[in-house]
């Protein structure tokens, strides 16, 4: 009964937000289609891994912050909890088998597309939500498909479960449930983007951003339903660097996925503005796309689906969230 009432409330809020007016349609930009990457924190990291593995032909790199290996949830919440808390029991070889069989049946791209991709993995030493043992397991998984020299790991920072920044948030090794952004004196957004793309300019501290942070209508990416059906918010964000606004310069695209309780429903645009991506994007002509998840009764914390709440095809090309994200990617690059 409580979940039913909550769902009715969510539907009402959804209707009100529609009445208030939709955001603009997501535009297409001048993007180098070979320079598209993705990253995420927590459930966003799990989804970034899923998107990278499933559509590896379309991505050249992935950043995983406080994440888990591909397919480790087993498609249910119990398995997801075990995955996060007891990584010593994970069978990386079984995840590899699932990936290879998925490629065989066309549910994911052929795994050879991952061979030359850049992979960045961060696992905080004090992470109490997603135990740090997941980091080495992700590394072993990717080492099976990717050149070892292309995999960068950061396992030596005393960080709790968070998006590490160098200038914003709470104490690094203290769980910050208000926004999961911690000041660790370490800019994970820059480090992962620099690893993926290489030779990036370091953003100037305190320099005002001159690009455009815009909202966009996520409903256009759901052809037969409304976004909330699959836990998507009506509205997403995109940061367009000043060098990319006029669409004359060929830019890069990075998709940044927030974690549980980090979408705009919970913290407005705090993750979008303070996770560190915009400054790096502005300095290096990288467009940053921020899709947004919102809570529903089967996903009260507003997490990305890496444990099957949207259906059994959640980690395949037919997954509803996977499909929506791919449509967003295609729209931005004009494909």
């Amino acid at each position: 009964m409580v979940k039913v009432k909550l769902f009715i409330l969510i539907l009402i809020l959804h209707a009100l937000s529609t009445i208030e007016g939709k955001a603009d349609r997501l535009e297409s930009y001048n993007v180098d289609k070979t320079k598209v990457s993705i990253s995420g924190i927590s459930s966003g990291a799990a989804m970034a891994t899923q998107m990278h593995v499933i559509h590896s032909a379309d991505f050249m790199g992935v950043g995983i912050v406080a994440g888990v290996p591909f397919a480790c949830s087993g498609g249910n919440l119990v398995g997801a909890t075990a995955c996060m808390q007891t990584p010593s029991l994970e069978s990386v070889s079984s995840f590899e088998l699932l990936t290879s069989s998925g490629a065989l049946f066309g549910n994911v791209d052929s795994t050879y597309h991952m061979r030359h991709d850049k992979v960045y993995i961060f696992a905080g030493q004090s992470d109490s939500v997603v135990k740090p043992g997941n980091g080495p397991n992700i590394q072993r998984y990717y080492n099976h498909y990717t050149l070892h020299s292309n995999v960068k790991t950061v396992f030596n920072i005393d960080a709790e479960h968070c998006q590490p920044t160098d200038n914003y948030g709470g104490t690094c090794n203290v769980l910050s449930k208000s926004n999961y952004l911690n000041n660790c004196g370490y800019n994970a957004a820059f480090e992962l983007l620099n690893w993926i793309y290489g030779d990036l300019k370091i953003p100037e501290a305190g320099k005002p951003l001159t690009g455009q942070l815009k909202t966009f209508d996520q409903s256009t990416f759901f052809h037969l339903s409304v976004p909330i059906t699959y836990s998507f918010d009506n509205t997403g964000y995109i940061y367009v660097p000043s060098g990319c606004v006029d669409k004359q310069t060929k830019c890069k695209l990075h998709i940044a996925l927030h974690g549980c309780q980090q979408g705009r429903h919970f913290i407005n645009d705090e993750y979008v503005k303070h996770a560190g991506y915009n400054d790096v994007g502005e300095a290096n002509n990288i467009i940053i796309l921020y899709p947004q998840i919102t809570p529903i009764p089967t996903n009260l914390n507003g997490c990305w689906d890496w444990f099957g709440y949207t259906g059994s095809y959640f980690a395949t090309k037919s997954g509803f969230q996977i499909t929506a994200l791919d449509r967003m990617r295609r729209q931005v690059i004009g494909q």
Side-chain angles (χ1 to χ4, degrees), residues 101-168:
S101 62
L104 182 64
F105 289 102
N107 290 321
V108 308
D109 280 347
S110 297
T111 57
Y112 71 81
H113 289 297
M114 291 189 277
R115 179 163 177 76
H116 296 284
D117 288 356
K118 290 294 191 75
V119 179
Y120 170 97
I121 308 165
F122 181 97
Q125 291 180 335
S126 295
D127 196 325
S128 62
V129 179
V130 177
K131 297 293 185 175
N134 277 287
N137 286 348
I138 300 169
Q139 180 184 15
R140 282 193 287 273
Y141 172 85
Y142 270 109
N143 281 345
H144 187 75
Y145 301 105
T146 308
L147 294 174
H148 293 196
S149 59
N150 280 5
V151 180
K152 178 181 176 66
T153 61
V154 181
F155 301 153
N156 61 347
I157 295 180
D158 186 24
E160 243 290 0
H161 190 68
C162 68
Q163 171 78 20
T165 78
D166 61 357
N167 60 13
Y168 187 85

Side-chain angles (χ1 to χ4, degrees), residues 14 17-27 29 214-223 225-228 232-238 264 289-292 324-325 327-329 331-332:
H14 170 81
S17 66
T18 302
I19 293 171
E20 290 170 0
K22 291 183 177 180
D24 292 334
R25 185 180 180 86
L26 183 62
E27 294 182 44
Y29 294 88
K214 303 191 292 185
T215 58
F216 69 91
D217 179 13
Q218 294 193 152
S219 70
T220 60
F221 302 99
F222 295 84
H223 299 163
S225 62
V226 294
I228 201 170
F232 267 85
D233 202 315
N234 288 330
T235 303
Y237 297 90
I238 186 170
R264 77 183 194 110
L289 183 70
Y290 296 99
Q292 297 288 294
L325 287 175
R327 287 171 179 165
M328 292 179 191
R329 176 191 65 82
Q331 175 65 22
V332 176

Side-chain angles (χ1 to χ4, degrees), residues 46-260:
M47 178 55 79
T49 302
Q50 288 180 175
M51 278 296 292
H52 177 236
V53 172
I54 293 167
H55 288 289
S56 57
D58 300 310
F59 291 98
M60 49 84 68
V62 61
I64 303 161
V65 178
V68 294
F70 179 79
C72 78
S73 74
N76 60 77
L77 190 55
V78 173
T81 302
C83 175
M84 292 187 294
Q85 291 294 307
T86 55
S88 61
L89 300 180
E90 294 171 1
S91 172
V92 176
S93 60
S94 68
F95 306 151
E96 295 165 359
L97 180 61
L98 284 170
T99 305
S100 299
S101 62
L104 182 64
F105 289 102
N107 290 321
V108 308
D109 280 347
S110 297
T111 57
Y112 71 81
H113 289 297
M114 291 189 277
R115 179 163 177 76
H116 296 284
D117 288 356
K118 290 294 191 75
V119 179
Y120 170 97
I121 308 165
F122 181 97
Q125 291 180 335
S126 295
D127 196 325
S128 62
V129 179
V130 177
K131 297 293 185 175
N134 277 287
N137 286 348
I138 300 169
Q139 180 184 15
R140 282 193 287 273
Y141 172 85
Y142 270 109
N143 281 345
H144 187 75
Y145 301 105
T146 308
L147 294 174
H148 293 196
S149 59
N150 280 5
V151 180
K152 178 181 176 66
T153 61
V154 181
F155 301 153
N156 61 347
I157 295 180
D158 186 24
E160 243 290 0
H161 190 68
C162 68
Q163 171 78 20
T165 78
D166 61 357
N167 60 13
Y168 187 85
T171 304
C172 189
N173 62 0
V174 176
L175 189 63
S176 175
K177 292 185 177 181
S178 61
N179 57 23
Y180 296 96
L181 297 168
N182 283 11
N183 186 347
C184 295
Y186 180 85
N187 189 338
F190 173 78
E191 296 297 336
L192 71 86
L193 287 172
N194 190 46
W195 177 252
I196 291 171
Y197 292 113
D199 299 320
L200 295 188
K201 297 176 184 177
I202 300 174
E204 294 182 30
K207 184 177 181 179
L209 295 175
T210 54
Q212 298 178 350
L213 178 61
K214 303 191 292 185
T215 58
F216 69 91
D217 179 13
Q218 294 193 152
S219 70
T220 60
F221 302 99
F222 295 84
H223 299 163
L224 300 175
S225 62
V226 294
I228 201 170
T229 305
Y230 303 111
S231 210
F232 267 85
D233 202 315
N234 288 330
T235 303
Y237 297 90
I238 186 170
Y239 181 78
V240 185
S242 56
C244 306
V245 171
D246 63 7
K247 305 180 184 180
Q248 299 303 305
T249 302
K250 193 163 287 289
C251 295
K252 307 174 184 69
L253 170 65
H254 183 76
I255 303 172
L257 304 179
H258 64 74
C260 302

Side-chain angles (χ1 to χ4, degrees), residues 3 77 229 231 295-301 307 309-310:
K3 286 187 175 182
L77 190 55
T229 305
S231 210
I296 58 175
T298 53
N299 178 35
L300 295 177
N301 290 319
F307 49 89
Y309 68 79
T310 60

